[in-house]
Structures are given as C-alpha cells and as structure tokens.
Amino acid sequence: MIWSIVSKSEMEGYKIPPVFHHYQEALGRDNIKLAIVDEQDPLDFINPETDVVLLRTASKSLVETIHKMGVRSTAETFDKYEYASDKKNLSSFLRCKHIPVPNQYYIDEIIAGKKYFVKPRYGSESFGISEKSICKSKHDVVTQVDYLSNVSHKEALIEEYIEGVDCTVACYIEPITGKIHTHAIKIECSSEGGVQTHQGKFGYDEICSSLVGKEKEYACNLAYEAFRVIGLKHHARIDFRMTSDGKMYLIDVNLIPGLGPLAHFAKCLLLTENRSYIDSLKAILNSASK
C-alpha cells in the first residue's frame, strides 16, 4: 500500500487545490490511501515491510517517525526540509558551492536606479509573491518588506531582481544506481517580469516549454549539482531565473513539490520526454528508500 501522509494542521491551512484524487486515478484507488493525521501520530497503520510513504508533510515529528519506522519513503531527513525552507541560508550555502544565486541585501544597502525582488524568507508555492515583489525604488522595497512583515507575518528577504524568465528542473534519483535524473522547462508567465505568483501558478496563467540546447544542459547541470551538494536522496523541483543571454540563478529548492497532473514536476517530464502523469508519480515513488 502507498500512503500519502499529511498533518491535520497542514490540511486545514491548505490553500492549494486538492490533488489526492489524481493520485488515485493514476495509481489505482486500491493502491494508495490518504492519511490525515495529528503530528504526534505513531503511524502504526503503516506496515514497514510492505508499504511505501509518499511524503506530503513538512512536520518534523512525522518525518522523524517515518524514518524511525524504517519504512520505504520519499522522506528526506528533516534537516533537509528545514534548510531548503530557509531561502537566506540556502542561498549562502549554494554560493559557497559555486552555484549562482541572486545577491541579497539589507534595506540600508538599497541604491537608486536598481531593481530588487522582495519575497518571504521562508515558504513555498509562491506564497507572498506578487507583481509588487518587483521593487523599483527604496520606497517600494520598504513597502513590500512592511507588507510581508505586518500583513502576511512573514520575514522578508531582499534580492537583486533578475531580468528574464523562470525555469524549473524536476529531479529524482534511482536509489539502486544512484543516478540523478533532471528534466528542465521554461515557464513564461503573463505577470510583470514573468514572475510566478501564487495566484498565477494555480490559475495556470503561464505557458511552459522544454528547454533545449545549451540552456537545457546548463539548467540540468546546475540542478544536478544543487541536488548533490545538499545531499538529497529522493526528489525535488529546483527553480531558476534565466537571463536573455542564458545565465541561470537558482532561486528555490522545493522538496515537497506539487504533484498534480498540471503541476510543474509532471510538466517537466511531459514536455521534455513526453512521459505521462503516471510516469511522473512512479518516478517519485521509485525514488523511495529506507
């Protein structure tokens, strides 16, 4: 049995369209079950010998329980989720590993005539991202920082704004061989600057296409290296900004990427290798290990 695990608190605060029924359609109603549990649940309904856990929670206690059980799962160790969720520390780490990332700034370092991008330091799925995230003056930066801090209750991160388009790379590993697979696409959004907003992402206000040639090779190589140096063992979706001359800057690492049939992970496999939604779910499940 495949178990899709999510905590009650996450499910109650879930602002993303539910996709579990798509898992059932793709994998078979009798092959996968959804478990919505308290964070302290012992998960004793799982059979460590035969079952597989498709992790859909960032709960520390649940992640640690899954690892203690010795069940096959797609769960990284919790420190990986904690590290990837902190975009400031992750960016500093990747820069030390010679992976290009946008420069970061404090408010007193803002200068006139330069664009900045203000986003939440923590979080995923473009929560807190809007067209106002692109700031063209110090006043814009201060306003957006105050908005995230006072209205959204999120700590803000100030980065240089990278002119270009978004790209994303679906990554997954074959546990037996250790081979890391990468599939890269370009995401062209209609919002200002081609930036993915939360509303635009789930309104599918975008056109995606496979990266090709040198751009594809570069994006896949950077994603591969990020996956490797972070020490990931299952799957991830890694996001970049690409400039008009093909330079890439890593902006996010998603360890619990959306897995719906129109989510970017599935699109990466479909548009690069014409692989189906079922194939994308199986690739993720095949990355499960003890």
Side-chain angles (χ1 to χ4, degrees):
M1 178 61 66
I2 302 165
W3 291 97
S4 179
I5 305 293
V6 64
S7 73
K8 289 181 179 178
S9 60
E10 288 169 317
M11 199 66 176
E12 289 170 357
Y14 210 41
K15 298 179 181 179
I16 303 169
V19 297
F20 178 72
H21 66 283
H22 293 303
Y23 304 167
Q24 289 183 309
E25 291 172 350
L27 301 173
R29 184 188 299 271
D30 297 329
N31 296 324
I32 183 167
K33 292 184 179 180
L34 174 65
I36 305 171
V37 297
D38 292 321
E39 293 196 26
Q40 303 304 319
D41 195 293
L43 305 180
D44 51 10
F45 52 85
I46 296 174
N47 185 335
E49 301 301 321
T50 60
D51 294 348
V52 178
V53 172
L54 175 62
L55 187 80
R56 305 306 296 157
T57 177
S59 163
K60 180 178 181 179
S61 58
L62 289 174
V63 169
E64 291 179 345
T65 296
I66 289 166
H67 281 293
K68 288 177 183 177
M69 294 179 72
V71 63
R72 284 183 62 224
S73 78
T74 61
E76 302 288 347
T77 55
F78 181 74
D79 63 298
K80 298 295 191 301
Y81 297 104
E82 193 172 40
Y83 205 67
S85 71
D86 186 341
K87 296 176 176 60
K88 182 176 182 178
N89 287 343
L90 178 65
S91 180
S92 298
F93 171 77
L94 293 173
R95 183 179 289 108
C96 291
K97 297 298 182 179
H98 308 293
I99 295 174
V101 293
N103 291 322
Q104 297 177 354
Y105 302 92
Y106 295 104
I107 286 182
D108 59 6
E109 296 176 313
I110 302 303
I111 60 175
K114 185 179 176 74
K115 286 185 180 180
Y116 298 89
F117 194 77
V118 179
K119 64 184 183 182
R121 175 174 175 175
Y122 303 95
S124 62
E125 298 297 357
S126 298
F127 283 114
I129 302 295
S130 70
E131 294 183 8
K132 293 182 179 179
S133 297
I134 303 173
C135 300
K136 304 173 184 178
S137 67
K138 185 170 184 177
H139 176 267
D140 289 347
V141 170
V142 172
T143 299
Q144 190 63 11
V145 167
D146 287 346
Y147 170 78
L148 290 176
S149 301
N150 300 326
V151 179
S152 298
H153 307 292
K154 299 179 185 294
E155 183 178 344
L157 184 63
I158 305 169
E159 292 182 339
E160 64 176 318
Y161 173 66
I162 306 297
E163 296 278 2
V165 298
D166 282 2
C167 300
T168 193
V169 184
C171 307
Y172 59 91
I173 198 168
E174 292 180 10
I176 295 176
T177 65
K179 181 178 180 180
I180 301 170
H181 296 263
T182 55
H183 305 267
I185 63 173
K186 177 170 60 175
I187 306 167
E188 298 177 88
C189 306
S190 60
S191 59
E192 180 182 350
V195 171
Q196 290 182 76
T197 65
H198 179 72
Q199 182 177 0
K201 179 179 289 188
F202 295 99
Y204 305 110
D205 187 18
E206 61 186 32
I207 298 294
C208 298
S209 58
S210 175
L211 283 175
V212 297
K214 292 182 178 180
E215 292 176 349
K216 173 184 176 182
E217 181 180 5
Y218 186 36
C220 287
N221 286 343
L222 285 178
Y224 177 98
E225 188 63 11
F227 194 99
R228 187 189 68 81
V229 299
I230 296 171
L232 303 179
K233 299 187 181 301
H234 301 291
H235 68 279
R237 202 194 72 238
I238 301 179
D239 298 339
F240 297 89
R241 284 287 285 180
M242 181 176 69
T243 64
S244 59
D245 58 358
K247 293 180 181 178
M248 301 271 182
Y249 296 84
L250 194 154
I251 56 175
D252 202 8
V253 174
N254 301 277
L255 299 188
I256 310 179
L259 297 184
L262 294 179
H264 290 143
F265 197 101
K267 285 184 179 181
C268 283
L269 274 68
L270 174 66
L271 296 174
T272 59
E273 293 190 0
N274 198 29
R275 294 176 64 182
S276 70
Y277 176 56
I278 295 175
D279 290 333
S280 69
L281 288 180
K282 287 183 176 179
I284 289 171
L285 288 168
N286 287 342
S287 77
S289 62
K290 292 187 177 181

